[in-house]
Amino acid sequence: AGLRDQFPGHVGPKEHGVVLQSYHDILVEGVKPQLLMLLGAVALVALIAIANAAGLVLGRAAARRHEVGVRAALGADRWDLVRPLLTESLLLGLAGGAVGLALASWTLDALRAVGLSALPATHGATLEWPVLAATLLLSIVTGLAVGLVPAVAASRADVQDSLRAAGRAVAGASQRARSILVVSEVALSLVLLVGASLLIVSIGDLWRVKPGFDARDVSTFQISLSDPSYSTASAVSQFESQVSAALASEPGIRGVGTSTSLPTERGLNEWAEGLKDGKRTQTYIEARAVSGDYFGVLRIPLQRGRTFRAGDVATAPRVAVINAALAKVYWPDGSALGNQIWIDGRPAEVIGVVGDVLEYGLDQTPPRMVYLAQAQQSDGMTRAVSNWFLTSWVIKTTQPLSEPALRRIVASVDPTLPVVTVRTMTDVIGSWLSPRRFVAMLLEVFAGLALLLAAVGIYGVVAYSVNRRRREIGLRMALGASRGDVLRMVVRQGAHLAVIGAVVGGIISLAATRVLGSLLFGVSPTNPVVLLRAALTLFGVAVAACYLPAARATRVDPVEALRTE
């Protein structure tokens, strides 16, 4: 209530208090959703790998059923039967964990090289002891989980049945279990593939968004003017003018402007006051102090009035250029020109209205903007802005900008000031997109791993089935089945598993991909086209994985296959 009385319009009618937030939460709020999503993707890949390992152990346990029967017949108790199988699985898990840690060290370096810093608060990511402990624990749990069920099943098997040469019931049960595991792999792979595809489509849509300015052929560089020698508005304005004039004389330079912040990067937020229904009302805005041909270089469209010119100096009446979003707040009838707006407690005449710029990002609505002439800034605001932000130059060029030439020009005006972050405006937009692109790249990698593991799983099941059905295949060929018939029969088995897995995965995807909502733009998490494309890709990989065992089945010699009958 006290704030409402002291600052009319500052506190909204539905605002009742404050929210306390920990400093740690503030630091990680920009990266936490992405990291949790990547953790989920890693968990899915791990589950697929575990399913593959479980299928491998199941097949091995089925192959060793005769050995288990002999051990049981010779007096081995259940623990004696289970222990060797569990030991093998545990060693398999530990060996995989050790190899994974070795690869993780190299992978972390590779991730830093390709853009790990794109995610905030991840620059210090290292393989510390909690990671090592978690990996060891996961390896042990995975090894035991993978080997426990086959080991217990083998120990419970009937001794007489295990000693029989055929043992078809056990083999059939093992085959069914492996088929279920493969269906699970395919389903989880589809979830990852759909998630990666959605992010890729979303990034493509973002690149096609019109940000309100033209980034083509525009280069930028930034300088910190926090030195005490630039504590006044006149000193900053004079320095900017000298550097801009030197740049404009270079060949290929068609326009130069400056701003206290670049579009899509952090800038100054302020409160503005204007007359609305005859009352001075506050509005939350973004403010930029600009100079030179800032609007012309970025081709920000002028809708009404004019932009700044050389005569807008400190001794001239204070002027401002606003964007269309702010003009609609105070002058929806289009009468903004010539009216007053108060910034930093001082009035400024509105001389122009320009188009909206997506200052907060390509997926955000444009803020209400006020552009002020740098030469007319107060000394206090100039010092504050120089301490908070880097002064940015935007340069329209017809050829690539030479970084050494930039440094030479700046040094000719003030050799003590270093030039930082020389980029193109396309790179600036790319920097805003880089966290999404990095997450999408990792999801693509995880989806590729998942597809590979699913293909290996399908190949293993089909190859195992072909090996078990050699006599059946030989009999079919002896009775007149062609190689094409055998090929289609074997491929159909793998395709059947892939279709079931795709259906299950599609249902899971419809629910799981909703967590991507905050990272998507222009595409629904349940987009049917993306889901269909991912399913067709997965089906194609599954059919390809079936081809090698299917081709091997067509080369079965009927005489050799039937000789054991």
Side-chain angles (χ1 to χ4, degrees), residues 148-445:
L148 185 61
V149 174
V152 172
S155 68
R156 290 180 177 176
D158 183 78
V159 175
Q160 297 296 328
D161 186 64
S162 298
L163 290 174
R164 294 190 186 101
R168 288 186 177 88
V170 177
S174 173
Q175 179 72 359
R176 286 192 297 274
R178 295 182 73 185
S179 297
I180 292 173
L181 289 173
V182 167
V183 168
S184 302
E185 291 180 49
V186 172
L188 296 178
S189 300
L190 183 63
V191 174
L192 280 175
L193 191 58
V194 170
S197 300
L198 285 171
L199 280 178
I200 293 170
V201 172
S202 178
I203 290 173
D205 289 340
L206 280 171
W207 270 117
R208 288 189 287 272
V209 168
K210 295 181 179 179
F213 62 91
D214 191 345
R216 293 175 299 174
D217 303 324
V218 177
S219 297
T220 75
F221 69 92
Q222 294 173 303
I223 297 176
S224 173
L225 298 181
S226 58
D227 187 271
S229 59
Y230 295 100
S231 60
T232 64
S234 60
V236 171
S237 180
Q238 183 179 5
F239 174 75
E240 291 179 354
S241 299
Q242 290 176 332
V243 173
S244 297
L247 284 169
S249 64
E250 292 290 310
I253 304 295
R254 297 169 53 189
V256 181
T258 71
S259 175
T260 48
S261 295
L262 291 172
T264 73
E265 294 192 343
R266 187 174 65 100
L268 175 67
N269 43 60
E270 253 282 18
W271 288 93
E273 287 186 345
L275 292 178
K276 186 174 183 179
D277 299 327
K279 298 179 181 179
R280 283 180 58 169
T281 306
Q282 284 189 326
T283 301
Y284 193 68
I285 63 162
E286 287 285 316
R288 301 287 185 270
V290 302
S291 70
D293 192 20
Y294 177 79
F295 299 102
V297 169
L298 292 178
R299 288 195 277 269
I300 299 174
L302 177 64
Q303 296 182 352
R304 292 186 296 277
R306 67 173 178 87
T307 58
F308 302 118
R309 58 193 178 195
D312 297 321
V313 295
T315 56
R318 195 181 189 209
V319 293
V321 174
I322 64 174
N323 71 343
L326 182 57
K328 291 177 183 177
V329 173
Y330 293 118
W331 305 283
D333 58 356
S335 61
L337 300 182
N339 283 289
Q340 299 286 318
I341 191 167
W342 284 262
I343 309 292
D344 193 25
R346 298 189 299 152
E349 179 187 346
V350 177
I351 60 170
V353 178
V354 296
D356 295 331
V357 174
L358 301 179
E359 296 281 351
Y360 291 157
L362 303 181
D363 62 344
Q364 303 293 319
T365 56
R368 297 159 181 172
M369 289 287 304
V370 174
Y371 300 94
L372 301 168
Q374 173 56 50
Q376 295 182 338
Q377 287 286 83
S378 68
D379 292 343
M381 184 57 69
T382 297
R383 285 192 296 271
V385 170
S386 296
N387 286 328
W388 293 335
F389 310 108
L390 296 172
T391 299
S392 305
W393 272 258
V394 291
I395 307 164
K396 185 73 173 178
T397 64
T398 58
Q399 60 190 34
L401 201 59
S402 169
E403 188 170 335
L406 279 179
R407 300 187 186 281
R408 173 180 54 79
I409 290 171
V410 173
S412 68
V413 180
D414 188 341
T416 66
L417 294 178
V419 175
V420 296
T421 57
V422 179
R423 298 170 292 172
T424 66
M425 274 305 298
T426 303
D427 291 336
V428 173
I429 298 175
S431 296
W432 180 84
L433 277 172
S434 58
R436 297 175 189 241
R437 288 194 296 185
F438 184 73
V439 171
M441 180 199 71
L442 288 184
L443 277 186
E444 285 183 77
V445 172

Side-chain angles (χ1 to χ4, degrees), residues 21 23-37 117-122 432 434-436 439 518-519:
Q21 187 176 14
Y23 187 55
H24 177 267
D25 288 344
I26 294 173
L27 288 176
V28 302
E29 65 182 353
V31 70
K32 190 173 182 178
Q34 291 95 324
L35 290 184
L36 288 176
M37 184 181 63
S117 59
L119 293 180
T122 57
W432 180 84
S434 58
R436 297 175 189 241
V439 171
S518 62
L519 295 177

Side-chain angles (χ1 to χ4, degrees), residues 47-57 178 181-182 185 452-458:
L47 286 175
I48 295 170
I50 289 171
N52 250 342
L56 174 68
V57 174
R178 295 182 73 185
L181 289 173
V182 167
E185 291 180 49
L452 178 62
L453 291 172
V456 170
I458 292 174

